[in-house]
Amino acid sequence: VDVEASDTAGVDMDREEEHASSKVERVQPPPYVQPRKPEGGTTSDGPSNVPVGAMVRDMGTQDDIRGGKEKYARNQADKTHDKQEGNKRNDLDNVQERKHARIMLGMRILQWLLGLIAFSVMASVTGYSNVKSFQYLLAMGIIVFVLNLPLCGVEWFLIGISYEDEEREVTRVRLYRSMPKINVIYDAIVSFLCFGAASAAAGVTSDPPPGLTACNGGCSDPRAAVAMMFLLAFALVGSLFLGVAKLRKQMAEDAAVLPVSTKGTSQAEAVWQHNFTVGFVLRTFQWMLALVSFACFLSLDNNADFSAIQFAIAIGIIIFIVAFVLMGFELYGRMQNLEYLPLGLGSWLGSLALLGYDVVFALLSFGSACAAAGVTSLDCSVLPFKCSVGRAGVGLMFATWFFMWGSIYISYKDHDKAIMLKEVS
């Protein structure tokens, strides 16, 4: 009986152990899944039925989820901040663009009015068709009057456009990118032509020869037209400076997005190197042409009786002297293998001064040639000198003006490089 009882108890214990092991197996959680409590629970002082590895994996997963949420929140905050800053910059750019458009519109309206007054007054002069310089002034007034109308329309469109209109945003951006280039080209060409027209007419009205029909009873009306044309030329120069400033700003913004490896001193050196040989040749031509030009004007009989001829002589002498000095600088730099012009002319301030000289005297040489041409284009029978010699001097002064443009280009590139090197340093 005892044996049977012990055997029965052993069998029961084996069944209980098998049952317990099957329960533990049934509550085993799959990998990376939150474990569940076994059916019936566990005792307070008994061991846990959840494996340690599953708990560690579960805690790591929760930490990753929490870290991802924090990273996402930081990214969203950064995006919101960048968007706000971008909106502020866009608003500031829109305000500046509108301001620039308003200024340009005011300049264009002023030029339009001056052109209208100039050609209207000249058209009212009796016998203006007999004087070529008066016809030239009349033509330039009409050209400015006609061409400034569409330019005014564009500036008005840029001022009145709504920046919230996405459909017209592309048109606005294209106009703002292209208008500075158009304005610079237009103002540079037309300002020279208007200054030449005013100078040519002034050469006649300052000392009108006897028998000039257009100045019978005084030259008050032609002189008023000349004054309006000079004001128009200066107004065009003002809008030219505004356009150049806007264009340089755009170029700086475009350069700011270049890779860092393309910036620095290497970029400045790769962009431009001063060519002393070309500079010397240009200054030599200016020196020779200015010399022969003012010599022709000096050889005219009674040249002191005409202010336009005296003006051309003075400009020719100044260009002759300055070109001779600059020839020496170019030659010295070529012989010494220098990278820049000596005596500080290659610095930011020196290159700016040289650029200013070239621009100003290019304008004055063109104006003096036009002024002398206004006199020599008259009927030679009323002039006290040989027209052929005077016209030769005019042609040589125009040639001097032509070679001044080459020096303007070199001086501009020198100044641009000096700015880049200054920013790098």
Side-chain angles (χ1 to χ4, degrees):
V1 174
D2 294 335
V3 171
E4 290 178 358
S6 61
D7 293 338
T8 303
V11 171
D12 293 336
M13 291 177 64
D14 293 336
R15 289 177 178 176
E16 289 178 1
E17 291 177 358
E18 291 176 358
H19 180 67
S21 62
S22 63
K23 289 178 67 178
V24 172
E25 291 176 357
R26 283 196 301 272
V27 299
Q28 288 289 341
Y32 303 100
V33 180
Q34 180 69 25
R36 297 187 301 246
K37 286 187 177 182
E39 298 177 2
T42 57
T43 58
S44 60
D45 54 350
S48 173
N49 293 323
V50 181
V52 176
M55 293 178 63
V56 172
R57 287 194 302 271
D58 206 41
M59 292 173 62
T61 302
Q62 292 178 1
D63 292 339
D64 293 340
I65 293 174
R66 189 181 301 110
K69 290 181 178 180
E70 293 176 355
K71 185 177 181 180
Y72 176 78
R74 288 195 301 269
N75 290 337
Q76 290 297 111
D78 293 340
K79 289 180 179 179
T80 302
H81 180 266
D82 293 341
K83 185 176 181 181
Q84 293 175 351
E85 292 295 326
N87 291 335
K88 291 180 180 179
R89 287 193 297 269
N90 290 335
D91 293 339
L92 180 60
D93 291 340
N94 292 339
V95 172
Q96 292 177 348
E97 289 171 354
R98 286 177 183 270
K99 182 179 179 181
H100 178 78
R102 289 191 183 97
I103 296 174
M104 289 300 296
L105 177 60
M107 296 292 291
R108 295 304 181 198
I109 293 175
L110 175 62
Q111 295 162 12
W112 181 80
L113 291 174
L114 291 173
L116 172 63
I117 296 171
F119 86 80
S120 299
V121 172
M122 185 57 72
S124 66
V125 175
T126 303
Y128 77 89
S129 58
N130 298 325
V131 184
K132 294 180 181 179
S133 59
F134 290 176
Q135 296 178 8
Y136 179 25
L137 187 147
L138 177 68
M140 288 309 305
I142 294 175
I143 289 173
V144 173
F145 173 77
V146 173
L147 294 183
N148 269 40
L149 285 176
L151 293 177
C152 289
V154 172
E155 300 297 343
W156 180 265
F157 171 76
L158 294 176
I159 293 173
I161 191 173
S162 174
Y163 295 99
E164 297 178 357
D165 189 353
E166 297 181 357
E167 295 181 356
R168 305 172 78 180
E169 180 71 13
V170 177
T171 303
R172 180 185 70 84
V173 172
R174 288 179 178 176
L175 284 175
Y176 270 118
R177 297 293 299 177
S178 59
M179 282 306 296
K181 297 178 183 178
I182 296 174
N183 288 332
V184 168
I185 294 173
Y186 170 79
D187 291 330
I189 295 175
V190 179
S191 61
F192 266 92
L193 294 177
C194 288
F195 187 77
S199 300
V204 177
T205 58
S206 60
D207 301 295
L212 186 62
T213 306
C215 287
N216 286 340
C219 284
S220 58
D221 289 344
R223 287 169 182 168
V226 168
M228 293 298 104
M229 187 56 66
F230 271 123
L231 291 176
L232 174 57
F234 294 144
L236 287 166
V237 171
S239 59
L240 173 63
F241 279 109
L242 290 175
V244 170
K246 183 67 175 178
L247 186 60
R248 289 187 66 86
K249 181 181 178 182
Q250 287 186 357
M251 294 171 63
E253 292 175 353
D254 294 339
V257 301
L258 292 174
V260 179
S261 59
T262 64
K263 299 178 181 179
T265 307
S266 59
Q267 182 194 13
E269 293 176 351
V271 169
W272 176 253
Q273 289 289 341
H274 184 87
N275 193 323
F276 289 96
T277 302
V278 176
F280 178 78
V281 171
L282 290 172
R283 299 299 180 185
T284 302
F285 272 103
Q286 295 167 20
W287 176 75
M288 291 190 302
L289 292 171
L291 170 63
V292 181
S293 177
F294 82 77
C296 289
F297 290 131
L298 283 174
S299 66
L300 297 177
D301 296 331
N302 300 321
N303 60 73
D305 295 337
F306 296 92
S307 301
I309 302 298
Q310 294 296 308
F311 178 44
I313 292 173
I315 297 299
I317 292 175
I318 294 174
I319 294 176
F320 167 76
I321 295 174
V322 176
F324 184 77
V325 175
L326 294 176
M327 283 169 55
F329 290 159
E330 298 283 357
L331 183 61
Y332 177 79
R334 180 69 180 84
M335 294 177 62
Q336 298 295 326
N337 293 323
L338 300 178
E339 295 183 4
Y340 316 103
L341 285 170
L343 297 180
L345 291 178
S347 64
W348 178 85
L349 186 59
S351 59
L352 179 61
L354 191 58
L355 176 62
Y357 159 78
D358 288 327
V359 171
V360 170
F361 274 87
L363 184 64
L364 293 177
S365 62
F366 184 77
S368 64
C370 290
V375 175
T376 57
S377 64
L378 296 173
D379 187 3
C380 293
S381 62
V382 300
L383 296 176
F385 53 78
K386 292 182 179 180
C387 293
S388 58
V389 179
R391 290 168 183 173
V394 170
L396 292 170
M397 186 58 70
F398 274 123
T400 305
W401 165 75
F402 176 78
F403 282 99
M404 291 289 291
W405 279 101
S407 297
I408 289 175
Y409 176 77
I410 292 179
S411 299
Y412 172 77
K413 298 299 291 185
D414 285 346
H415 181 60
D416 192 48
K417 181 179 179 180
I419 292 176
M420 297 176 66
L421 293 176
K422 182 180 179 182
E423 293 176 351
V424 171
S425 61

